[in-house]
Amino acid sequence: MVGFPEKKHLKHIAAIAVCLGLAISLGCSRGESSKEKESPGSDANAQVEKKLPPQKPKPLTGREILQRMVAAYQNATSYADNGQVRLRAVIGGRDMDLAAPFSMALVRPDKLRLEAYQAMVVCDGTTFFAAIKDIPDQVLQRPASGRLSIGSLVTDPMLAEAWSQGFGGAMPQVLLLLGKDPMENLLSDTEEVAVSELGEIDGRACYRLRIERPEGTATFWIDQKTFVLRRVVLPTDLIRRELSGRGQVESISLVADFVNAQLDEQVNPKAFQFEPPKDAEIVKFFLPPPMRMLGKKAPDLKFVDLEGKPVTLESLTGKVVLLDFWATWCGPCRKSLPNLEKICQRYKDDPKVAFFAVSVDEPQTDNKVLVETFEDLKVGIPILRDPKQSAAALQFTGIPTLFVIGADGVVQHCEIGGNPRIAEELPAKIDALLAGENIYEKSLREFEEQMEAHAKMVEAQFSSKDEAHSDKRTIDEQIIPEVKTAPRSDPARLKLAPLWKCAEVKSPGNILVVHDGDGPVRLMVVEDWKSVAEVGLDGKLIALHKLELDENEIVGSIRTAVGADGKRYFAAFLLSQQRCHVYDENWKLVAHYPEDALESPHRGIADVELGDLDGDGKLNVYVSYWGLVGVQCASLEGKRLWANRSLSEVACIAIGGPNSPLKKGATAGLSSSAGRNTRENTAGQASSGTRTLGNRLFQRAANTQGNRDLYCAGGAGAIVVLDAKGERNGEISVRGRFFNWIASADLRGDGRGQWCGMSAKKTGDNIAVGFSLSGEELWSYTLPAGVPRIPIEPIVPGRVTRDGPGQWLLPGLDGSIHIVSADGVPLDKFNYGAELHGLTTVEIDGRPALVVAIAGGVEAWEVGAK
């Protein structure tokens, strides 16, 4: 799906202020350290000792001041403020002055009032309310869930955006009071905290701390007596870059002032009172556009046909009306229109059904261009234009978008993005409407179920450790299924013949297939958490590479890529460890990243990629994190190049195929071509220019076809797409799915990548889902439930057949291996009879082979048909 240009130029700067918040609790006391009391000595002659002059206390370091501030907020029983964030700039001689007021009141454990940007949140300890200014007809209402946390404010994606995505970003007092570990982001990206001269605000002496970050310098004004945060001067590098498109930025400042901020003082109980407007709809979750139109009367739509004759929705009363919004420049529209044409042909003789394709092209686009486009696509749906832009009332933000309106004028269904199965799925909906049924309730129920599952996962991620132990509801009300290894069984359709076993690799893990030019194919196998075993296709151990790691560091996965200079590099890491590690082709250490993470720990690394997003021929390291660190890009030498903190709990990242330049604000597809991906995980791939499916190698030059995007899955629900500079380039939402893992591979070998993700509705679910970049679910496959004990890659692109497309290999936690076609058709499944540690496919002597790592060795099997 292609989005319209983003008009709120400053929106993405919300990432800046996320840096103000979360990490390890250091348990410092709130007050100054007490002086030691000297006890006068005495001797037999009762001599009086001289008293030494009192010594000045040692000045606090920047880190110590931050620790005391965090402790003050974390230990406080109440808080209240009333402030504003203000952006001032002079651009091309013109003044800009934007101010956004905010206020917060908190009484632990469960009372809150927060007003920031578009959002108002009120919790009286019994009921949680939220309202968004841009959605005046909806009020979120749900039972209070006990102790408040950041999770309480981000379980609803629209609410999270409303309070945190203003031009000044998320307000730091929210993160300091409700964050799980409010030092993590504060220190994870800086080597030192500089202490400047004391300052003064409203007669209060304040420490001034300067923190250098990739996006600029942040200055904290912290009350010297109470350690209350009085002011933050926010970094402006990113916003300066954004505003420079309007002219030369001569000066700029971004300052948040926390007026009358106070800890542990009485808060007026009226702050926690809220009465929903009488005409507001009470919802459990805010409905995103255009879903909020479902079940409502369609607006007064006024179009014209290509001859200029008016076509109004009122004139179509009594008919089921299908309106597909498209444009000549929209690639996904070109794919979806032929499918709609099939449906149109099916109902062309039914007078109770009306199809229209509404062009959103610029008014200057000639009708002839529209007609020629349809002729090329062999589409005969009547074309309408919207000169008065009346369709804006439908609240959609990208195309293609399809609305189905019932005979009574009620919006019954919408399709966001091109659905490749629409020709099979939509007729049943049309028939139900023709029979007098309403179908919108089902879509709303599915959305609510999706959001409830998302809310559970988010609450569990953000709840405190103590709370998670004391209240099992924050984890899940269901018991996580116990995983038991299933007895060995044979495949139903495939035949396995043993080739070899490498018993020298005794504690293997994930496997990476490597092929350099005309050289032999090699298997790189994680061995005993500290080494990488290099194994030949004959099953013999070539070398054992002991990795240069800290004593407490281990690895579980490997990525690899080859740069434009022909040199290969590897990255090794393990989920939730502090650093990833970059090695050259001989497994000599190049860099640890982040270098200082052992001294300034964070919540842990989630995933790592090696690749070249901007096409300059230089490889970079892309790292996603648990917590609020987000996603970072660094050079191979470990120098941070950019960071995006607008994301949280980013469980997985994947590099997409070459794409064309896109409009800002695009959503759901972003590119008309998925291309081949560069993800070099342990699923049987070789380099960033080579993907191994069996031994069939799909070669491509590094980014010769354009830049690439980084696809980020995790806590946001939607897959967030970042461009080569780390800026948001759009989102992909697959209805009812929240992915904790995604992978892409060119299984068909035609240069168009296929995507597969791992989804869960509750803890322990393992559901593989095929999806398109237009946000449509293509297929799903349920795997055995449970939580993995061994960090095996959950989605493995590979090949177990000699000809035709490749397959997805899905390792089950019970030792089962599931093989699914590129289109999601189950091909085979069998039980290996042991817990799986690693899995891949490779071609040995011209025949496909399955390579499996288990405790005690690595085994290879020739795969054939029965």
Side-chain angles (χ1 to χ4, degrees):
M1 175 176 162
V2 177
F4 299 129
E6 177 61 65
K7 295 182 180 179
K8 298 180 180 178
H9 296 281
L10 307 179
K11 189 173 181 180
H12 78 277
I13 305 305
I16 295 173
V18 177
C19 73
L20 302 177
L22 302 171
I24 55 171
S25 176
L26 300 178
C28 299
S29 63
R30 293 179 54 199
E32 298 284 351
S33 56
S34 59
K35 302 176 183 178
E36 291 185 11
K37 295 182 179 180
E38 295 184 12
S39 180
S42 61
D43 57 23
N45 297 320
Q47 294 177 340
V48 179
E49 292 185 353
K50 274 189 176 182
K51 290 188 177 181
L52 297 175
Q55 296 183 357
K56 293 182 179 180
K58 183 179 179 182
L60 296 175
T61 67
R63 287 176 180 254
E64 289 171 338
I65 295 170
L66 288 177
Q67 289 168 5
R68 295 196 180 197
M69 177 186 70
V70 168
Y73 279 78
Q74 291 278 287
N75 296 331
T77 59
S78 66
Y79 174 84
D81 69 18
N82 197 343
Q84 73 169 8
V85 57
R86 191 168 189 176
L87 171 65
R88 290 177 174 176
V90 178
I91 308 169
R94 300 185 304 275
D95 291 335
M96 169 186 280
D97 192 346
L98 299 176
F102 60 79
S103 64
M104 182 176 181
L106 171 76
V107 174
R108 297 195 194 273
D110 54 11
K111 292 183 173 62
L112 171 70
R113 185 182 190 91
L114 173 66
E115 296 185 46
Y117 305 120
Q118 289 284 318
M120 174 189 287
V121 176
V122 179
C123 183
D124 61 8
T126 301
T127 307
F128 183 98
F129 297 98
I132 298 176
K133 292 179 183 178
D134 283 347
I135 316 176
D137 56 345
Q138 293 182 29
V139 170
L140 184 151
Q141 179 178 327
R142 62 174 183 247
S145 57
R147 186 177 182 85
L148 291 163
S149 70
I150 285 290
S152 309
L153 299 176
V154 299
T155 52
D156 185 290
M158 295 195 68
L159 175 60
E161 180 176 331
W163 72 265
S164 68
Q165 298 287 304
F167 59 81
M171 291 298 99
Q173 76 275 41
V174 181
L175 307 176
L176 288 167
L177 289 161
L178 301 179
K180 184 191 289 188
D181 298 309
M183 283 285 286
E184 180 179 335
N185 280 13
L186 205 58
L187 296 177
S188 62
D189 288 334
T190 184
E191 294 183 0
E192 64 175 295
V193 181
V195 181
S196 303
E197 291 183 2
L198 290 175
E200 185 177 299
I201 296 178
D202 295 334
R204 298 182 177 93
C206 293
Y207 295 110
R208 292 194 303 140
L209 307 183
R210 290 172 54 87
I211 300 179
E212 298 293 335
R213 297 192 167 280
E215 65 273 13
T217 302
T219 302
F220 291 73
W221 293 60
I222 300 170
D223 193 301
Q224 188 181 28
K225 182 178 180 181
T226 64
F227 290 94
V228 169
L229 184 62
R230 299 292 177 193
R231 174 179 295 165
V232 178
V233 181
L234 294 159
T236 57
D237 288 5
L238 294 178
I239 200 166
R240 178 186 288 272
R241 186 191 314 162
E242 185 74 19
L243 292 174
S244 62
R246 305 184 186 183
Q248 182 180 356
V249 181
E250 299 165 26
S251 64
I252 186 170
S253 67
L254 183 61
V255 179
D257 278 306
F258 306 91
V259 182
N260 297 325
Q262 54 186 14
L263 293 167
D264 295 318
E265 299 289 343
Q266 187 173 356
V267 179
N268 190 336
K270 291 184 178 180
F272 310 115
Q273 296 176 1
F274 180 81
E275 187 68 32
K278 293 182 179 179
D279 57 348
E281 178 185 3
I282 303 301
V283 297
K284 290 184 179 179
F285 300 96
F286 287 109
L287 290 171
M291 285 198 65
R292 64 184 67 145
M293 296 299 303
L294 294 179
K296 297 181 179 179
K297 278 281 189 178
D300 186 17
L301 302 175
K302 296 180 179 180
F303 308 122
V304 296
D305 63 19
L306 297 186
E307 296 179 357
K309 296 178 180 178
V311 178
T312 66
L313 193 60
E314 185 179 359
S315 67
L316 300 169
T317 300
K319 296 184 178 184
V320 174
V321 181
L322 292 91
L323 301 174
D324 184 62
F325 293 88
W326 71 287
T328 54
W329 44 263
C330 170
C333 298
R334 290 174 173 267
K335 293 182 180 181
S336 65
L337 281 165
N339 287 326
L340 285 175
E341 173 67 16
K342 296 176 184 178
I343 308 173
C344 184
Q345 289 298 317
R346 178 170 174 171
Y347 292 94
K348 65 179 181 179
D349 297 325
D350 193 327
K352 294 184 178 180
V353 181
F355 278 80
F356 296 100
V358 185
S359 168
V360 297
D361 285 283
E362 297 293 332
Q364 58 266 33
T365 304
D366 195 277
N367 287 344
K368 183 180 178 181
V369 177
L370 277 61
V371 173
E372 290 176 348
T373 300
F374 269 37
E375 288 176 350
D376 292 342
L377 297 173
K378 296 181 173 55
V379 172
I381 301 173
I383 300 174
L384 300 179
R385 304 200 72 162
D386 187 15
K388 296 183 179 180
Q389 298 184 346
S390 62
L394 288 171
Q395 305 179 40
F396 65 99
T397 58
I399 53 175
T401 296
L402 171 74
F403 287 93
V404 180
I405 301 171
D408 57 356
V410 172
V411 179
Q412 295 280 345
H413 181 67
C414 66
E415 290 275 355
I416 305 171
N419 179 359
R421 295 187 179 183
I422 195 169
E424 293 79 35
E425 297 175 355
L426 192 57
K429 294 179 172 63
I430 296 174
D431 292 342
L433 291 173
L434 291 172
E437 301 176 19
N438 285 322
I439 63 173
Y440 68 85
E441 295 102 330
K442 183 178 180 182
S443 294
L444 292 175
R445 282 197 304 270
E446 290 176 349
F447 171 78
E448 191 169 296
E449 291 172 359
Q450 165 191 355
M451 295 306 299
E452 286 175 348
H454 174 63
K456 276 188 176 182
M457 288 190 289
V458 172
E459 284 277 17
Q461 290 168 351
F462 284 97
S463 62
S464 69
K465 294 178 182 178
D466 292 340
E467 183 181 354
H469 285 296
S470 64
D471 187 353
K472 295 182 180 180
R473 292 175 301 171
T474 59
I475 302 299
D476 220 313
E477 292 182 358
Q478 289 82 12
I479 297 175
I480 299 174
E482 181 182 358
V483 179
K484 295 182 179 179
T485 301
R488 190 179 182 93
S489 65
D490 293 327
R493 300 179 183 177
L494 301 175
K495 181 179 180 181
L496 300 182
L499 291 174
W500 48 258
K501 178 175 181 178
C502 182
E504 293 175 272
V505 184
K506 300 183 183 301
S507 301
N510 284 304
I511 311 169
L512 179 71
V513 180
V514 175
H515 185 195
D516 290 316
D518 297 328
V521 175
R522 296 161 293 153
L523 305 176
M524 299 294 179
V525 186
V526 176
E527 166 65 347
D528 200 22
W529 308 102
K530 289 277 193 179
S531 303
V532 171
E534 187 173 342
V535 180
L537 294 190
D538 57 0
K540 295 181 179 179
L541 180 65
I542 299 173
L544 183 64
H545 306 284
K546 187 174 181 179
L547 303 181
E548 187 175 334
L549 302 169
D550 187 77
E551 180 182 0
N552 296 319
E553 290 181 311
I554 55 178
V555 301
S557 294
I558 316 172
R559 309 284 187 251
T560 188
V562 175
D565 57 2
K567 294 182 179 179
R568 177 178 293 283
Y569 292 88
F570 297 94
F573 70 101
L574 179 67
L575 184 76
S576 295
Q577 287 271 294
Q578 292 294 308
R579 306 190 299 185
C580 65
H581 318 278
V582 180
Y583 302 92
D584 66 13
E585 58 191 355
N586 298 314
W587 291 97
K588 299 298 183 184
L589 180 68
V590 176
H592 300 296
Y593 184 81
E595 176 64 30
D596 63 346
L598 299 184
E599 293 76 32
S600 302
H602 46 77
R603 285 269 305 283
I605 285 173
D607 198 10
V608 175
E609 283 283 9
L610 282 178
D612 178 14
L613 292 185
D614 58 11
D616 64 357
K618 297 179 181 178
L619 295 177
N620 294 322
V621 185
Y622 304 92
V623 184
S624 70
Y625 295 83
W626 298 117
L628 299 180
V629 179
V631 178
Q632 297 176 348
C633 169
S635 67
L636 293 177
E637 295 73 28
K639 179 182 178 182
R640 184 171 297 113
L641 303 177
W642 54 254
N644 188 310
R645 304 170 191 281
S646 67
L647 288 72
S648 62
E649 306 290 348
V650 185
C652 180
I653 52 178
I655 299 177
N659 54 59
S660 302
L662 298 163
K663 297 185 177 182
K664 273 287 182 186
T667 57
L670 306 167
S671 171
S672 59
S673 172
R676 302 184 183 102
N677 100 336
T678 60
R679 180 170 183 79
E680 300 311 323
N681 55 28
T682 56
Q685 293 106 41
S687 72
S688 66
T690 308
R691 174 167 294 282
T692 306
L693 298 177
N695 262 14
R696 180 178 173 184
L697 303 177
F698 299 97
Q699 289 286 145
R700 54 166 166 70
N703 290 1
T704 56
Q705 303 177 47
N707 291 348
R708 299 174 187 273
D709 290 321
L710 189 68
Y711 294 75
C712 310
I719 298 170
V720 177
V721 187
L722 302 181
D723 65 15
K725 295 180 180 179
E727 298 179 0
R728 285 192 182 227
N729 203 17
E731 294 184 355
I732 301 170
S733 295
V734 180
R735 184 178 300 172
R737 300 296 185 187
F738 294 92
F739 294 110
N740 52 50
W741 196 266
I742 53 175
S744 174
D746 182 14
L747 296 178
R748 298 192 183 98
D750 58 3
R752 299 173 60 190
Q754 290 75 53
W755 288 81
C756 180
M758 197 63 66
S759 176
K761 288 189 174 181
K762 63 180 185 296
T763 304
D765 280 354
N766 296 294
I767 304 171
V769 178
F771 63 93
S772 69
L773 292 186
S774 61
E776 300 303 323
E777 180 174 324
L778 306 178
W779 55 266
S780 66
Y781 184 94
T782 302
L783 292 154
V787 175
R789 191 183 69 87
I790 299 294
I792 186 172
E793 302 276 346
I795 302 172
V796 181
R799 176 184 300 285
V800 295
T801 56
R802 290 195 180 188
D803 302 309
Q807 299 85 29
W808 300 108
L809 277 70
L810 308 172
L813 301 182
D814 61 350
S816 56
I817 298 175
H818 305 252
I819 304 171
V820 178
S821 75
D823 298 321
V825 178
L827 297 182
D828 212 332
K829 71 173 182 177
F830 57 95
N831 299 326
Y832 201 75
E835 184 178 37
L836 303 174
H837 292 198
L839 185 66
T840 193
T841 63
V842 70
E843 197 170 279
I844 300 178
D845 297 330
R847 294 182 292 273
L850 178 69
V851 182
V852 184
I854 59 173
V858 180
E859 301 174 339
W861 303 79
E862 180 182 329
V863 184
K866 283 189 175 180

